[in-house]
PDB file of all heavy atoms in Angstrom:
ATOM      1  N   LEU Q  50      -3.015   8.316  -1.501  1.00 94.00           N
ATOM      2  CA  LEU Q  50      -4.249   7.975  -0.806  1.00 94.00           C
ATOM      3  C   LEU Q  50      -5.092   7.038  -1.659  1.00 94.00           C
ATOM      4  O   LEU Q  50      -5.621   6.038  -1.170  1.00 94.00           O
ATOM      5  CB  LEU Q  50      -5.043   9.246  -0.476  1.00 94.00           C
ATOM      6  CG  LEU Q  50      -6.293   9.021   0.382  1.00 94.00           C
ATOM      7  CD1 LEU Q  50      -5.940   8.555   1.786  1.00 94.00           C
ATOM      8  CD2 LEU Q  50      -7.125  10.297   0.465  1.00 94.00           C
ATOM      9  N   SER Q  51      -5.190   7.331  -2.943  1.00 91.00           N
ATOM     10  CA  SER Q  51      -5.981   6.452  -3.803  1.00 91.00           C
ATOM     11  C   SER Q  51      -5.294   5.107  -3.958  1.00 91.00           C
ATOM     12  O   SER Q  51      -5.941   4.069  -4.080  1.00 91.00           O
ATOM     13  CB  SER Q  51      -6.266   7.111  -5.152  1.00 91.00           C
ATOM     14  OG  SER Q  51      -5.152   7.035  -5.983  1.00 91.00           O
ATOM     15  N   LEU Q  52      -3.961   5.129  -3.920  1.00 89.00           N
ATOM     16  CA  LEU Q  52      -3.217   3.866  -3.947  1.00 89.00           C
ATOM     17  C   LEU Q  52      -3.507   3.031  -2.700  1.00 89.00           C
ATOM     18  O   LEU Q  52      -3.712   1.826  -2.785  1.00 89.00           O
ATOM     19  CB  LEU Q  52      -1.720   4.166  -4.043  1.00 89.00           C
ATOM     20  CG  LEU Q  52      -0.795   2.975  -3.830  1.00 89.00           C
ATOM     21  CD1 LEU Q  52      -0.995   1.935  -4.901  1.00 89.00           C
ATOM     22  CD2 LEU Q  52       0.641   3.434  -3.797  1.00 89.00           C
ATOM     23  N   LEU Q  53      -3.546   3.703  -1.571  1.00 92.00           N
ATOM     24  CA  LEU Q  53      -3.856   3.021  -0.310  1.00 92.00           C
ATOM     25  C   LEU Q  53      -5.217   2.337  -0.409  1.00 92.00           C
ATOM     26  O   LEU Q  53      -5.370   1.175  -0.022  1.00 92.00           O
ATOM     27  CB  LEU Q  53      -3.847   4.025   0.840  1.00 92.00           C
ATOM     28  CG  LEU Q  53      -4.268   3.487   2.211  1.00 92.00           C
ATOM     29  CD1 LEU Q  53      -3.226   2.553   2.791  1.00 92.00           C
ATOM     30  CD2 LEU Q  53      -4.538   4.614   3.182  1.00 92.00           C
ATOM     31  N   HIS Q  54      -6.193   3.048  -0.951  1.00 91.00           N
ATOM     32  CA  HIS Q  54      -7.537   2.476  -1.069  1.00 91.00           C
ATOM     33  C   HIS Q  54      -7.560   1.296  -2.037  1.00 91.00           C
ATOM     34  O   HIS Q  54      -8.221   0.300  -1.780  1.00 91.00           O
ATOM     35  CB  HIS Q  54      -8.538   3.557  -1.510  1.00 91.00           C
ATOM     36  CG  HIS Q  54      -8.767   4.591  -0.454  1.00 91.00           C
ATOM     37  ND1 HIS Q  54      -9.101   5.885  -0.758  1.00 91.00           N
ATOM     38  CD2 HIS Q  54      -8.682   4.518   0.897  1.00 91.00           C
ATOM     39  CE1 HIS Q  54      -9.235   6.563   0.376  1.00 91.00           C
ATOM     40  NE2 HIS Q  54      -8.984   5.772   1.392  1.00 91.00           N
ATOM     41  N   THR Q  55      -6.814   1.426  -3.129  1.00 88.00           N
ATOM     42  CA  THR Q  55      -6.719   0.325  -4.087  1.00 88.00           C
ATOM     43  C   THR Q  55      -6.129  -0.902  -3.420  1.00 88.00           C
ATOM     44  O   THR Q  55      -6.626  -2.019  -3.571  1.00 88.00           O
ATOM     45  CB  THR Q  55      -5.832   0.720  -5.279  1.00 88.00           C
ATOM     46  OG1 THR Q  55      -6.340   1.928  -5.832  1.00 88.00           O
ATOM     47  CG2 THR Q  55      -5.829  -0.362  -6.340  1.00 88.00           C
ATOM     48  N   MET Q  56      -5.050  -0.685  -2.660  1.00 86.00           N
ATOM     49  CA  MET Q  56      -4.385  -1.810  -2.011  1.00 86.00           C
ATOM     50  C   MET Q  56      -5.257  -2.423  -0.933  1.00 86.00           C
ATOM     51  O   MET Q  56      -5.285  -3.632  -0.767  1.00 86.00           O
ATOM     52  CB  MET Q  56      -3.041  -1.375  -1.435  1.00 86.00           C
ATOM     53  CG  MET Q  56      -1.979  -1.302  -2.508  1.00 86.00           C
ATOM     54  SD  MET Q  56      -0.331  -1.074  -1.831  1.00 86.00           S
ATOM     55  CE  MET Q  56       0.102  -2.732  -1.303  1.00 86.00           C
ATOM     56  N   GLU Q  57      -5.964  -1.585  -0.202  1.00 86.00           N
ATOM     57  CA  GLU Q  57      -6.876  -2.089   0.823  1.00 86.00           C
ATOM     58  C   GLU Q  57      -7.892  -3.036   0.209  1.00 86.00           C
ATOM     59  O   GLU Q  57      -8.165  -4.107   0.739  1.00 86.00           O
ATOM     60  CB  GLU Q  57      -7.617  -0.926   1.490  1.00 86.00           C
ATOM     61  CG  GLU Q  57      -6.968  -0.468   2.767  1.00 86.00           C
ATOM     62  CD  GLU Q  57      -7.647   0.761   3.350  1.00 86.00           C
ATOM     63  OE1 GLU Q  57      -8.442   1.415   2.655  1.00 86.00           O
ATOM     64  OE2 GLU Q  57      -7.361   1.066   4.517  1.00 86.00           O
ATOM     65  N   LYS Q  58      -8.451  -2.615  -0.911  1.00 86.00           N
ATOM     66  CA  LYS Q  58      -9.461  -3.427  -1.582  1.00 86.00           C
ATOM     67  C   LYS Q  58      -8.863  -4.736  -2.091  1.00 86.00           C
ATOM     68  O   LYS Q  58      -9.416  -5.809  -1.885  1.00 86.00           O
ATOM     69  CB  LYS Q  58     -10.063  -2.643  -2.755  1.00 86.00           C
ATOM     70  CG  LYS Q  58     -11.410  -2.038  -2.410  1.00 86.00           C
ATOM     71  CD  LYS Q  58     -12.012  -1.344  -3.609  1.00 86.00           C
ATOM     72  CE  LYS Q  58     -11.961   0.171  -3.448  1.00 86.00           C
ATOM     73  NZ  LYS Q  58     -12.027   0.897  -4.698  1.00 86.00           N
ATOM     74  N   THR Q  59      -7.718  -4.621  -2.757  1.00 83.00           N
ATOM     75  CA  THR Q  59      -7.059  -5.806  -3.306  1.00 83.00           C
ATOM     76  C   THR Q  59      -6.707  -6.789  -2.209  1.00 83.00           C
ATOM     77  O   THR Q  59      -6.924  -7.997  -2.339  1.00 83.00           O
ATOM     78  CB  THR Q  59      -5.759  -5.399  -4.035  1.00 83.00           C
ATOM     79  OG1 THR Q  59      -6.069  -4.344  -4.934  1.00 83.00           O
ATOM     80  CG2 THR Q  59      -5.173  -6.574  -4.799  1.00 83.00           C
ATOM     81  N   ILE Q  60      -6.178  -6.254  -1.116  1.00 77.00           N
ATOM     82  CA  ILE Q  60      -5.715  -7.116  -0.037  1.00 77.00           C
ATOM     83  C   ILE Q  60      -6.875  -7.767   0.693  1.00 77.00           C
ATOM     84  O   ILE Q  60      -6.846  -8.966   0.969  1.00 77.00           O
ATOM     85  CB  ILE Q  60      -4.812  -6.313   0.922  1.00 77.00           C
ATOM     86  CG1 ILE Q  60      -3.451  -6.095   0.247  1.00 77.00           C
ATOM     87  CG2 ILE Q  60      -4.644  -7.032   2.253  1.00 77.00           C
ATOM     88  CD1 ILE Q  60      -2.566  -5.106   0.953  1.00 77.00           C
ATOM     89  N   SER Q  61      -7.933  -7.016   0.959  1.00 79.00           N
ATOM     90  CA  SER Q  61      -9.047  -7.645   1.682  1.00 79.00           C
ATOM     91  C   SER Q  61      -9.726  -8.684   0.795  1.00 79.00           C
ATOM     92  O   SER Q  61     -10.191  -9.710   1.271  1.00 79.00           O
ATOM     93  CB  SER Q  61     -10.045  -6.598   2.176  1.00 79.00           C
ATOM     94  OG  SER Q  61     -10.706  -6.008   1.102  1.00 79.00           O
ATOM     95  N   PHE Q  62      -9.736  -8.425  -0.497  1.00 78.00           N
ATOM     96  CA  PHE Q  62     -10.277  -9.396  -1.442  1.00 78.00           C
ATOM     97  C   PHE Q  62      -9.453 -10.680  -1.434  1.00 78.00           C
ATOM     98  O   PHE Q  62      -9.991 -11.776  -1.347  1.00 78.00           O
ATOM     99  CB  PHE Q  62     -10.295  -8.783  -2.848  1.00 78.00           C
ATOM    100  CG  PHE Q  62     -10.826  -9.710  -3.906  1.00 78.00           C
ATOM    101  CD1 PHE Q  62     -12.155 -10.067  -3.941  1.00 78.00           C
ATOM    102  CD2 PHE Q  62      -9.975 -10.219  -4.881  1.00 78.00           C
ATOM    103  CE1 PHE Q  62     -12.639 -10.920  -4.921  1.00 78.00           C
ATOM    104  CE2 PHE Q  62     -10.443 -11.070  -5.867  1.00 78.00           C
ATOM    105  CZ  PHE Q  62     -11.782 -11.422  -5.884  1.00 78.00           C
ATOM    106  N   SER Q  63      -8.138 -10.550  -1.478  1.00 76.00           N
ATOM    107  CA  SER Q  63      -7.284 -11.742  -1.516  1.00 76.00           C
ATOM    108  C   SER Q  63      -7.301 -12.464  -0.173  1.00 76.00           C
ATOM    109  O   SER Q  63      -7.142 -13.675  -0.104  1.00 76.00           O
ATOM    110  CB  SER Q  63      -5.856 -11.369  -1.908  1.00 76.00           C
ATOM    111  OG  SER Q  63      -5.165 -10.874  -0.803  1.00 76.00           O
ATOM    112  N   ARG Q  64      -7.517 -11.709   0.892  1.00 73.00           N
ATOM    113  CA  ARG Q  64      -7.626 -12.354   2.206  1.00 73.00           C
ATOM    114  C   ARG Q  64      -8.856 -13.233   2.271  1.00 73.00           C
ATOM    115  O   ARG Q  64      -8.840 -14.318   2.833  1.00 73.00           O
ATOM    116  CB  ARG Q  64      -7.703 -11.296   3.309  1.00 73.00           C
ATOM    117  CG  ARG Q  64      -6.351 -10.900   3.801  1.00 73.00           C
ATOM    118  CD  ARG Q  64      -6.462  -9.950   4.969  1.00 73.00           C
ATOM    119  NE  ARG Q  64      -5.134  -9.485   5.328  1.00 73.00           N
ATOM    120  CZ  ARG Q  64      -4.864  -8.260   5.754  1.00 73.00           C
ATOM    121  NH1 ARG Q  64      -5.834  -7.393   5.889  1.00 73.00           N
ATOM    122  NH2 ARG Q  64      -3.641  -7.922   6.048  1.00 73.00           N
ATOM    123  N   GLU Q  65      -9.938 -12.752   1.701  1.00 76.00           N
ATOM    124  CA  GLU Q  65     -11.169 -13.536   1.694  1.00 76.00           C
ATOM    125  C   GLU Q  65     -10.987 -14.805   0.883  1.00 76.00           C
ATOM    126  O   GLU Q  65     -11.495 -15.863   1.243  1.00 76.00           O
ATOM    127  CB  GLU Q  65     -12.314 -12.710   1.103  1.00 76.00           C
ATOM    128  CG  GLU Q  65     -13.077 -11.951   2.167  1.00 76.00           C
ATOM    129  CD  GLU Q  65     -14.081 -10.982   1.574  1.00 76.00           C
ATOM    130  OE1 GLU Q  65     -14.769 -11.372   0.632  1.00 76.00           O
ATOM    131  OE2 GLU Q  65     -14.140  -9.846   2.067  1.00 76.00           O
TER     132      GLU Q  65
END
Side-chain angles (χ1 to χ4, degrees):
L50 186 67
S51 78
L52 169 63
L53 175 71
H54 292 151
T55 306
M56 281 190 79
E57 264 175 346
K58 259 183 252 158
T59 310
I60 285 169
S61 68
F62 179 69
S63 81
R64 271 185 186 144
E65 268 172 44

